[in-house]
Amino acid sequence: MSVPLLDLHAADAECEQEILTAVAEVIRRREFILGREVHALEAWFADYCAARHAVGVSSGTAALYLSLLAAGVKPGDRVVTSPFTFTATGEVILRVGAVPVFVDVDAQTRTMDPQAVAAAFSSYPRITAVMPVHLYGMPCDMDPITAVARRYNARVIEDAAQAHGARYRDRRVGSLGDCACFSFYPTKNLGGYGDGGMVVCSDDAIAQEIAQLRNHGRVQHYLHEKIGYNERLDNLQAAVLLVKSSRLDAWNERRRRIAAWYCDALQGVGDLQLPETPVWAEPVYHLFVVRSQRRDPLMAHLKQRGIGCAVQYAVPLHRQPAYRERCIAAGPLGVVERLCAEVLSLPMHPAMTESHVGLVADAVRSFFA
Ligand SMILES: *Cc1c(COP(=O)(O)O)cnc(C)c1O
Protein backbone atom coordinates (compact mmCIF):
# COMPACT_ATOMS: atom_id res chain seq x y z
CA MET A 1 0.00 0.00 0.00
CA SER A 2 1.37 3.39 -0.94
CA VAL A 3 1.14 6.69 0.96
CA PRO A 4 1.27 9.84 -1.18
CA LEU A 5 3.15 12.95 -0.05
CA LEU A 6 -0.15 14.79 -0.14
CA ASP A 7 -3.64 13.91 -1.29
CA LEU A 8 -5.66 16.79 -2.70
CA HIS A 9 -8.70 14.53 -3.20
CA ALA A 10 -8.93 13.22 0.34
CA ALA A 11 -7.95 16.56 1.91
CA ASP A 12 -11.21 18.34 1.05
CA ALA A 13 -13.57 15.52 0.06
CA GLU A 14 -15.72 16.44 3.10
CA CYS A 15 -16.64 19.83 1.60
CA GLU A 16 -16.43 19.27 -2.15
CA GLN A 17 -20.20 19.43 -2.65
CA GLU A 18 -20.44 22.61 -0.62
CA ILE A 19 -17.65 24.14 -2.75
CA LEU A 20 -19.36 23.20 -6.01
CA THR A 21 -22.57 24.81 -4.78
CA ALA A 22 -20.72 28.00 -3.77
CA VAL A 23 -18.94 28.17 -7.14
CA ALA A 24 -22.20 27.60 -9.00
CA GLU A 25 -23.77 30.44 -7.03
CA VAL A 26 -20.99 32.87 -8.08
CA ILE A 27 -21.41 31.77 -11.69
CA ARG A 28 -25.19 32.23 -11.45
CA ARG A 29 -24.59 35.82 -10.28
CA ARG A 30 -21.75 36.37 -12.83
CA GLU A 31 -19.92 38.14 -10.02
CA PHE A 32 -16.32 37.33 -10.91
CA ILE A 33 -14.20 40.35 -9.98
CA LEU A 34 -13.86 41.67 -6.40
CA GLY A 35 -17.27 40.29 -5.54
CA ARG A 36 -18.89 39.63 -2.20
CA GLU A 37 -16.93 36.40 -1.64
CA VAL A 38 -13.60 38.27 -1.88
CA HIS A 39 -14.81 40.83 0.64
CA ALA A 40 -16.22 38.17 2.97
CA LEU A 41 -12.97 36.20 2.84
CA GLU A 42 -10.97 39.36 3.54
CA ALA A 43 -13.15 40.19 6.55
CA TRP A 44 -12.87 36.66 7.90
CA PHE A 45 -9.12 36.41 7.41
CA ALA A 46 -8.33 39.81 8.96
CA ASP A 47 -10.37 38.81 12.00
CA TYR A 48 -8.77 35.34 12.08
CA CYS A 49 -5.28 36.89 12.17
CA ALA A 50 -6.34 39.63 14.63
CA ALA A 51 -5.35 42.27 12.08
CA ARG A 52 -7.30 45.31 10.88
CA HIS A 53 -7.12 44.65 7.16
CA ALA A 54 -6.81 41.83 4.67
CA VAL A 55 -6.47 42.41 0.93
CA GLY A 56 -7.06 39.51 -1.46
CA VAL A 57 -4.51 39.22 -4.26
CA SER A 58 -3.79 36.82 -7.10
CA SER A 59 -1.06 34.73 -5.39
CA GLY A 60 1.33 34.58 -2.47
CA THR A 61 4.01 35.95 -4.77
CA ALA A 62 1.81 38.96 -5.63
CA ALA A 63 1.20 39.46 -1.90
CA LEU A 64 4.95 39.61 -1.27
CA TYR A 65 5.70 41.84 -4.25
CA LEU A 66 2.95 44.37 -3.54
CA SER A 67 3.93 44.38 0.15
CA LEU A 68 7.50 45.35 -0.67
CA LEU A 69 6.23 48.17 -2.91
CA ALA A 70 3.72 49.37 -0.32
CA ALA A 71 6.34 49.21 2.43
CA GLY A 72 8.42 51.63 0.37
CA VAL A 73 11.33 49.33 -0.51
CA LYS A 74 13.25 51.06 -3.31
CA PRO A 75 15.77 49.98 -5.96
CA GLY A 76 19.19 49.66 -4.33
CA ASP A 77 17.73 48.96 -0.87
CA ARG A 78 18.63 45.75 0.90
CA VAL A 79 16.17 43.22 2.32
CA VAL A 80 17.14 40.56 4.87
CA THR A 81 15.61 37.11 4.53
CA SER A 82 16.35 33.40 4.75
CA PRO A 83 17.84 31.60 1.73
CA PHE A 84 16.15 28.41 2.93
CA THR A 85 12.76 29.01 1.33
CA PHE A 86 10.79 28.82 -1.90
CA THR A 87 12.16 31.11 -4.60
CA ALA A 88 9.18 33.50 -4.45
CA THR A 89 10.54 35.01 -1.21
CA GLY A 90 13.78 36.13 -2.86
CA GLU A 91 12.39 36.70 -6.35
CA VAL A 92 10.20 39.62 -5.30
CA ILE A 93 13.15 41.37 -3.61
CA LEU A 94 15.05 41.32 -6.91
CA ARG A 95 11.93 42.30 -8.81
CA VAL A 96 11.60 45.59 -6.88
CA GLY A 97 15.28 46.22 -7.63
CA ALA A 98 16.47 45.57 -4.09
CA VAL A 99 19.28 43.24 -3.00
CA PRO A 100 18.50 40.13 -0.93
CA VAL A 101 20.73 39.77 2.14
CA PHE A 102 20.57 36.09 3.04
CA VAL A 103 21.20 35.08 6.65
CA ASP A 104 21.48 31.72 8.37
CA VAL A 105 18.63 29.92 10.10
CA ASP A 106 18.26 28.38 13.53
CA ALA A 107 18.84 24.60 13.52
CA GLN A 108 15.86 23.88 15.76
CA THR A 109 13.16 25.95 14.06
CA ARG A 110 14.75 26.03 10.57
CA THR A 111 13.68 29.68 10.42
CA MET A 112 15.68 32.91 10.40
CA ASP A 113 18.22 33.18 13.23
CA PRO A 114 17.55 36.49 15.05
CA GLN A 115 21.25 36.87 15.89
CA ALA A 116 22.15 36.55 12.22
CA VAL A 117 19.57 39.24 11.42
CA ALA A 118 21.14 41.59 13.97
CA ALA A 119 24.61 40.87 12.54
CA ALA A 120 23.39 41.63 9.00
CA PHE A 121 21.99 45.01 10.11
CA SER A 122 25.29 45.96 11.73
CA SER A 123 27.31 44.85 8.68
CA TYR A 124 25.28 46.28 5.80
CA PRO A 125 23.79 49.76 5.45
CA ARG A 126 20.51 50.51 3.69
CA ILE A 127 18.52 47.48 4.89
CA THR A 128 14.94 48.75 4.71
CA ALA A 129 12.97 45.54 5.25
CA VAL A 130 13.17 42.09 6.82
CA MET A 131 11.17 39.13 5.52
CA PRO A 132 10.90 36.34 8.09
CA VAL A 133 9.62 33.09 6.54
CA HIS A 134 7.44 30.89 8.77
CA LEU A 135 8.81 27.78 7.10
CA TYR A 136 6.95 24.44 7.10
CA GLY A 137 4.28 26.05 9.32
CA MET A 138 6.73 26.95 12.11
CA PRO A 139 6.63 30.59 13.22
CA CYS A 140 9.91 32.50 13.35
CA ASP A 141 11.17 33.82 16.68
CA MET A 142 9.62 37.20 15.90
CA ASP A 143 10.21 39.37 18.99
CA PRO A 144 13.99 39.72 18.61
CA ILE A 145 13.61 40.08 14.82
CA THR A 146 11.06 42.90 15.03
CA ALA A 147 13.10 44.56 17.83
CA VAL A 148 16.20 44.83 15.65
CA ALA A 149 14.15 45.94 12.63
CA ARG A 150 12.55 48.73 14.70
CA ARG A 151 15.97 49.86 15.88
CA TYR A 152 17.02 50.37 12.26
CA ASN A 153 13.62 51.69 11.15
CA ALA A 154 13.13 48.77 8.77
CA ARG A 155 9.80 47.20 7.81
CA VAL A 156 8.91 43.63 8.75
CA ILE A 157 7.04 41.65 6.08
CA GLU A 158 6.09 38.13 7.13
CA ASP A 159 6.15 35.39 4.50
CA ALA A 160 3.36 33.32 6.03
CA ALA A 161 2.62 31.32 2.86
CA GLN A 162 3.16 28.04 4.73
CA ALA A 163 1.72 29.02 8.09
CA HIS A 164 -2.00 29.93 8.04
CA GLY A 165 -3.14 29.73 11.66
CA ALA A 166 0.26 29.18 13.31
CA ARG A 167 0.80 31.01 16.60
CA TYR A 168 3.80 32.77 18.10
CA ARG A 169 3.45 33.48 21.84
CA ASP A 170 -0.35 33.15 21.52
CA ARG A 171 -0.49 35.58 18.60
CA ARG A 172 -1.32 34.43 15.10
CA VAL A 173 1.24 34.85 12.37
CA GLY A 174 -0.06 37.64 10.17
CA SER A 175 -0.25 40.08 13.07
CA LEU A 176 3.43 40.09 14.03
CA GLY A 177 5.03 42.55 11.59
CA ASP A 178 4.03 45.50 9.40
CA CYS A 179 2.23 43.17 7.03
CA ALA A 180 2.04 39.47 6.25
CA CYS A 181 1.69 37.51 3.04
CA PHE A 182 -0.31 34.34 2.59
CA SER A 183 -0.66 32.00 -0.37
CA PHE A 184 -3.75 29.98 -1.26
CA TYR A 185 -1.86 27.77 -3.71
CA PRO A 186 -3.75 24.44 -3.77
CA THR A 187 -1.25 22.56 -1.58
CA LYS A 188 -1.06 25.14 1.22
CA ASN A 189 -2.82 24.67 4.57
CA LEU A 190 -5.67 26.78 3.18
CA GLY A 191 -5.63 26.18 -0.57
CA GLY A 192 -7.92 27.20 -3.41
CA TYR A 193 -8.72 25.50 -6.69
CA GLY A 194 -6.08 27.61 -8.41
CA ASP A 195 -3.83 30.51 -7.44
CA GLY A 196 -4.68 33.07 -4.78
CA GLY A 197 -3.12 35.08 -1.97
CA MET A 198 -3.76 37.63 0.76
CA VAL A 199 -1.94 40.47 2.47
CA VAL A 200 -2.88 40.98 6.11
CA CYS A 201 -1.91 44.12 7.98
CA SER A 202 -2.98 46.62 10.61
CA ASP A 203 -1.36 49.65 8.96
CA ASP A 204 -4.12 51.62 7.19
CA ALA A 205 -1.75 53.21 4.67
CA ILE A 206 -0.12 49.93 3.60
CA ALA A 207 -3.50 48.22 3.27
CA GLN A 208 -4.88 51.04 1.16
CA GLU A 209 -1.79 51.12 -1.04
CA ILE A 210 -1.99 47.36 -1.70
CA ALA A 211 -5.72 47.54 -2.41
CA GLN A 212 -4.95 50.19 -5.03
CA LEU A 213 -1.90 48.51 -6.53
CA ARG A 214 -3.72 45.20 -7.02
CA ASN A 215 -6.40 46.96 -9.05
CA HIS A 216 -4.59 49.17 -11.58
CA GLY A 217 -3.91 51.97 -9.10
CA ARG A 218 -7.56 52.76 -9.22
CA VAL A 219 -9.27 54.98 -6.62
CA GLN A 220 -12.66 54.99 -8.29
CA HIS A 221 -14.11 53.98 -11.62
CA TYR A 222 -11.69 55.14 -14.35
CA LEU A 223 -9.69 57.30 -11.94
CA HIS A 224 -6.13 55.99 -11.61
CA GLU A 225 -3.92 57.68 -9.06
CA LYS A 226 -0.88 55.59 -9.88
CA ILE A 227 0.38 52.86 -12.16
CA GLY A 228 -0.75 49.59 -10.66
CA TYR A 229 -1.17 45.95 -11.54
CA ASN A 230 -3.86 43.39 -12.22
CA GLU A 231 -3.26 41.21 -9.16
CA ARG A 232 -6.77 40.78 -7.70
CA LEU A 233 -8.00 37.66 -5.93
CA ASP A 234 -10.46 35.84 -8.21
CA ASN A 235 -13.99 35.71 -6.79
CA LEU A 236 -14.41 32.02 -7.72
CA GLN A 237 -11.30 31.22 -5.69
CA ALA A 238 -12.64 33.31 -2.81
CA ALA A 239 -15.86 31.25 -2.91
CA VAL A 240 -13.84 28.02 -2.64
CA LEU A 241 -11.68 29.42 0.16
CA LEU A 242 -14.65 30.75 2.10
CA VAL A 243 -16.13 27.24 2.31
CA LYS A 244 -12.78 25.84 3.42
CA SER A 245 -12.10 28.64 5.90
CA SER A 246 -14.34 27.18 8.59
CA ARG A 247 -12.30 23.96 8.50
CA LEU A 248 -8.82 25.49 8.74
CA ASP A 249 -8.46 25.12 12.50
CA ALA A 250 -9.70 21.52 12.49
CA TRP A 251 -7.35 20.65 9.61
CA ASN A 252 -4.39 22.26 11.40
CA GLU A 253 -5.33 20.31 14.53
CA ARG A 254 -5.28 17.11 12.43
CA ARG A 255 -1.84 18.04 11.11
CA ARG A 256 -0.56 18.46 14.68
CA ARG A 257 -2.02 15.07 15.64
CA ILE A 258 -0.35 13.43 12.62
CA ALA A 259 2.96 15.09 13.58
CA ALA A 260 2.60 13.70 17.12
CA TRP A 261 2.01 10.19 15.73
CA TYR A 262 5.13 10.53 13.59
CA CYS A 263 7.20 11.70 16.53
CA ASP A 264 6.04 8.75 18.66
CA ALA A 265 6.74 6.27 15.89
CA LEU A 266 10.10 7.64 14.78
CA GLN A 267 11.75 8.63 18.07
CA GLY A 268 15.30 7.28 18.19
CA VAL A 269 15.18 5.63 14.75
CA GLY A 270 18.58 5.71 13.00
CA ASP A 271 20.12 9.18 12.93
CA LEU A 272 16.74 10.81 12.26
CA GLN A 273 16.22 14.28 13.69
CA LEU A 274 12.53 15.04 14.20
CA PRO A 275 11.02 18.53 14.20
CA GLU A 276 11.14 20.21 17.59
CA THR A 277 8.73 22.85 18.79
CA PRO A 278 9.97 25.72 20.99
CA VAL A 279 7.72 26.54 23.96
CA TRP A 280 6.64 29.80 22.30
CA ALA A 281 5.43 28.19 19.06
CA GLU A 282 2.23 26.53 17.90
CA PRO A 283 3.14 25.25 14.42
CA VAL A 284 0.69 24.08 11.74
CA TYR A 285 2.88 21.49 9.97
CA HIS A 286 2.48 22.59 6.38
CA LEU A 287 5.16 19.95 5.91
CA PHE A 288 6.55 17.29 8.24
CA VAL A 289 10.30 17.48 7.71
CA VAL A 290 12.89 15.15 9.24
CA ARG A 291 16.67 15.22 8.88
CA SER A 292 19.15 12.43 8.17
CA GLN A 293 22.75 12.36 7.03
CA ARG A 294 21.68 9.47 4.79
CA ARG A 295 18.83 11.49 3.27
CA ASP A 296 19.27 10.54 -0.41
CA PRO A 297 19.40 6.73 0.08
CA LEU A 298 16.55 7.02 2.62
CA MET A 299 14.45 8.90 0.05
CA ALA A 300 15.18 6.27 -2.63
CA HIS A 301 14.24 3.50 -0.17
CA LEU A 302 10.93 5.18 0.72
CA LYS A 303 9.99 5.89 -2.89
CA GLN A 304 10.66 2.28 -3.81
CA ARG A 305 8.15 1.28 -1.12
CA GLY A 306 5.48 3.66 -2.41
CA ILE A 307 6.00 6.34 0.23
CA GLY A 308 5.83 9.84 -1.24
CA CYS A 309 8.61 12.14 -0.10
CA ALA A 310 10.39 15.26 -1.29
CA VAL A 311 13.21 17.65 -0.50
CA GLN A 312 12.19 21.19 0.38
CA TYR A 313 14.69 22.71 -0.37
CA ALA A 314 17.80 21.12 -1.90
CA VAL A 315 19.47 24.32 -3.15
CA PRO A 316 19.46 27.49 -1.03
CA LEU A 317 18.62 30.71 -2.85
CA HIS A 318 22.15 32.17 -2.57
CA ARG A 319 23.41 29.23 -4.66
CA GLN A 320 20.66 29.42 -7.31
CA PRO A 321 21.86 30.67 -10.72
CA ALA A 322 19.28 33.47 -10.73
CA TYR A 323 20.58 34.88 -7.43
CA ARG A 324 24.30 34.10 -7.27
CA GLU A 325 25.57 37.38 -8.69
CA ARG A 326 22.79 39.54 -7.32
CA CYS A 327 22.58 38.76 -3.62
CA ILE A 328 24.59 39.08 -0.43
CA ALA A 329 25.29 35.85 1.46
CA ALA A 330 25.72 37.41 4.90
CA GLY A 331 27.95 35.56 7.31
CA PRO A 332 28.29 31.81 7.53
CA LEU A 333 25.28 29.94 6.16
CA GLY A 334 26.34 26.58 7.59
CA VAL A 335 23.00 25.57 9.09
CA VAL A 336 21.23 26.25 5.80
CA GLU A 337 23.84 24.22 3.89
CA ARG A 338 23.41 21.26 6.26
CA LEU A 339 19.62 21.45 6.09
CA CYS A 340 19.73 21.42 2.28
CA ALA A 341 21.73 18.20 2.43
CA GLU A 342 19.66 16.50 5.13
CA VAL A 343 15.98 17.51 5.06
CA LEU A 344 13.28 15.14 3.88
CA SER A 345 9.54 15.88 3.79
CA LEU A 346 7.37 12.89 4.71
CA PRO A 347 3.69 12.55 3.71
CA MET A 348 1.52 15.15 5.46
CA HIS A 349 -2.08 16.14 4.79
CA PRO A 350 -5.11 16.41 7.08
CA ALA A 351 -6.80 13.23 5.85
CA MET A 352 -3.88 10.99 6.85
CA THR A 353 -4.73 8.28 9.36
CA GLU A 354 -2.69 6.69 12.10
CA SER A 355 -2.25 3.62 9.91
CA HIS A 356 -0.80 5.75 7.08
CA VAL A 357 1.70 7.13 9.59
CA GLY A 358 2.43 3.56 10.68
CA LEU A 359 3.17 2.51 7.10
CA VAL A 360 5.56 5.42 6.62
CA ALA A 361 7.26 4.73 9.96
CA ASP A 362 7.67 1.02 9.13
CA ALA A 363 9.30 1.92 5.82
CA VAL A 364 11.64 4.40 7.54
CA ARG A 365 12.57 1.86 10.22
CA SER A 366 13.26 -0.82 7.61
CA PHE A 367 15.83 1.49 6.02
CA PHE A 368 17.77 1.92 9.25
CA ALA A 369 17.37 -1.74 10.35
C1 LIG B 1 4.06 29.00 -1.80
C2 LIG B 1 5.01 29.99 -1.28
C3 LIG B 1 5.10 31.29 -1.79
C4 LIG B 1 4.41 31.74 -3.05
O1 LIG B 1 3.04 31.58 -3.07
P1 LIG B 1 2.29 31.45 -4.50
O2 LIG B 1 0.85 31.55 -4.11
O3 LIG B 1 2.65 30.13 -5.08
O4 LIG B 1 2.73 32.59 -5.34
C5 LIG B 1 5.94 32.19 -1.16
N1 LIG B 1 6.69 31.84 -0.11
C6 LIG B 1 6.66 30.59 0.40
C7 LIG B 1 7.50 30.28 1.58
C8 LIG B 1 5.83 29.63 -0.17
O5 LIG B 1 5.82 28.38 0.33
Side-chain angles (χ1 to χ4, degrees), residues 59-209:
S59 69
T61 307
L64 290 164
Y65 180 62
L66 299 182
S67 290
L68 284 173
L69 292 179
V73 175
K74 297 278 183 296
D77 285 1
R78 294 180 171 130
V79 178
V80 176
T81 192
S82 162
F84 191 56
T85 180
F86 180 60
T87 187
T89 316
E91 186 175 66
V92 293
I93 298 172
L94 289 170
R95 236 212 283 166
V96 299
V99 178
V101 177
F102 290 122
V103 298
D104 212 354
V105 301
D106 172 77
Q108 186 191 24
T109 62
R110 295 104 164 232
T111 64
M112 227 155 112
D113 178 351
Q115 287 185 355
V117 176
F121 270 100
S122 59
S123 306
Y124 299 98
R126 216 174 152 182
I127 294 172
T128 54
V130 185
M131 293 171 69
V133 183
H134 306 305
L135 195 74
Y136 307 152
M138 173 66 76
C140 297
D141 188 3
M142 291 297 289
D143 284 346
I145 293 172
T146 49
V148 69
R150 292 284 169 269
R151 204 150 63 235
Y152 287 88
N153 209 15
R155 295 289 200 174
V156 176
I157 300 169
E158 297 172 71
D159 182 341
Q162 302 189 358
H164 319 63
R167 281 195 174 92
Y168 171 73
R169 298 191 189 282
D170 292 328
R171 288 175 283 155
R172 289 245 200 243
V173 305
S175 62
L176 306 172
D178 291 296
C179 61
C181 304
F182 291 85
S183 165
F184 301 128
Y185 186 80
T187 62
K188 307 283 163 139
N189 288 38
L190 181 59
Y193 284 3
D195 280 308
M198 188 82 84
V199 180
V200 172
C201 79
S202 291
D203 181 311
D204 299 347
I206 290 182
Q208 199 189 11
E209 178 77 7

